[in-house]
Amino acid sequence: MRNWRGVLGIGKQIDSPDKKREFNELHFTAAASRYDLATRAMSLGRDQAWKKQLVASLPKITAPVCVDLASGTGDVAFLLAERFPNGQIYGIDLTEEMVTLAERRNRFDNVSFVCRDMAETSLDNASIDIVTGSYALRNAAELGKGLQEVNRILKPGGYAAFLDFSKSAKPVSQVSQYWLLKCWCGLWGALLHANPTIHAYIADSLKQFPTREDYYQLVRKSGFELISSQLFYFGMLELLVIRKE
Ligand SMILES: C[S@@+](CC[C@H](N)C(=O)[O-])C[C@H]1O[C@@H](n2cnc3c(N)ncnc32)[C@H](O)[C@@H]1O
């Protein structure tokens, strides 16, 4: 996997739910140590601002129970703790290494992290006020199951906000976005980890992700109404806010 041939073959390594889960665990374990630096670099310094916008997009609730899916090193969970000091925030991530880093950074009494699959959170039905995820659902082994789990744990009327890469339906945009991400993110994998496969995965996971319109349809079919959408970098990324019906 540690060469450019490995980079080109990623698609096959994530073409079934089991393979994708296994790939992600290995991939994000390898990426964890320099994940924050890579994210800041790949987003040209915009990542933190987008995450702040995500948290600012949520409704005012005095003491919400929040779940941040695919919480990584904890950025969004910590922003939630600042916005909702009387709330309770749970970060959930598949990768032990990420959870350990998040726990090490945690300075909040009301934030905790747990190692779990986002589609099997073990949380009670209708127990959560707010679900968030930055670069989260695209990594779900099965997107539909991830959305069903969000719907199951949210209270009726509960909000979810997701920041992620986004794909237009136009084939020309898709091809140029794919190669841009493949080269730009692969370059950062090569520079920071001497492994171009790391981060080039973004392009392949997006290739398997629905276009914006198909994504909206799936979101609606999963029992949500669309509240707002903000696009960044000419539609390469989207902040989508939804509400459980
Ligand atoms: C691109 S990182 C995003 C981390 C963090 N949300 C952020 O924005 O910095 C994706 C995260 O998803 C986690 N992940 C991948 N597949 C997952 C799954 N099935 N369930 C939960 N977390 C998963 C990875 O371990 C990784 O930490």
Side-chain angles (χ1 to χ4, degrees):
M1 218 157 79
R2 288 183 177 275
N3 56 36
W4 286 102
R5 223 161 354 127
V7 177
L8 295 174
I10 293 174
K12 287 201 181 96
Q13 298 175 58
I14 56 172
D15 64 4
S16 78
D18 285 346
K19 276 160 70 177
K20 188 171 178 185
R21 193 181 295 103
E22 193 184 331
F23 178 91
N24 272 351
E25 213 171 337
L26 291 171
H27 169 79
F28 285 107
T29 298
S33 62
R34 301 187 121 180
Y35 175 78
D36 289 340
L37 179 59
T39 308
R40 313 300 184 247
M42 289 187 294
S43 69
L44 297 172
R46 295 300 299 153
D47 170 67
Q48 291 297 291
W50 295 333
K51 286 173 177 166
K52 283 182 184 156
Q53 264 175 269
L54 182 159
V55 172
S57 73
L58 297 166
K60 267 191 199 158
I61 305 178
T62 315
V65 183
C66 308
V67 171
D68 182 45
L69 298 177
S71 48
T73 60
D75 279 353
V76 172
F78 302 141
L79 289 170
L80 286 167
E82 281 170 13
R83 164 108 201 255
F84 302 114
N86 298 315
Q88 192 61 46
I89 291 101
Y90 301 102
I92 288 182
D93 199 282
L94 183 71
T95 310
E96 193 86 51
E97 197 75 17
M98 287 288 195
V99 171
T100 304
L101 285 170
E103 280 168 343
R104 225 176 273 159
R105 293 176 73 204
N106 189 7
R107 302 281 174 267
F108 296 89
D109 291 337
N110 60 341
V111 178
S112 57
F113 295 94
V114 64
C115 197
R116 247 170 239 168
D117 191 303
M118 70 178 99
E120 292 166 26
T121 63
S122 302
L123 294 162
D124 289 341
N125 290 350
S127 58
I128 306 297
D129 298 290
I130 286 170
V131 173
T132 54
S134 59
Y135 321 116
L137 286 179
R138 180 175 38 83
N139 296 307
E142 282 177 86
L143 176 59
K145 286 202 174 154
L147 282 166
Q148 277 167 25
E149 182 68 355
V150 175
N151 191 277
R152 185 186 71 75
I153 63 175
L154 270 179
K155 294 176 184 170
Y159 276 72
F162 297 109
L163 166 70
D164 216 322
F165 289 88
S166 177
K167 196 164 88 180
S168 127
K170 291 187 191 140
V172 176
S173 310
Q174 287 182 15
V175 172
S176 36
Q177 184 181 21
Y178 178 81
W179 285 109
L180 181 68
L181 288 173
K182 195 85 171 170
C183 296
W184 175 244
C185 301
L187 174 70
W188 282 102
L191 289 175
L192 294 175
H193 298 274
N195 180 356
T197 313
I198 295 189
H199 307 308
Y201 154 80
I202 293 172
D204 292 283
S205 54
L206 184 61
K207 196 174 183 179
Q208 295 180 0
F209 200 73
T211 62
R212 263 195 296 283
E213 282 307 323
D214 290 348
Y215 179 41
Y216 295 163
Q217 261 187 37
L218 184 62
V219 165
R220 287 195 192 99
K221 235 174 74 183
S222 307
F224 298 97
E225 65 170 309
L226 303 186
I227 299 296
S228 66
S229 157
Q230 267 178 279
L231 299 179
F232 307 116
Y233 280 152
F234 310 104
M236 296 248 290
L237 293 108
E238 179 178 35
L239 168 57
L240 185 69
V241 181
I242 62 181
R243 187 172 164 273
K244 178 173 168 176
E245 284 169 345

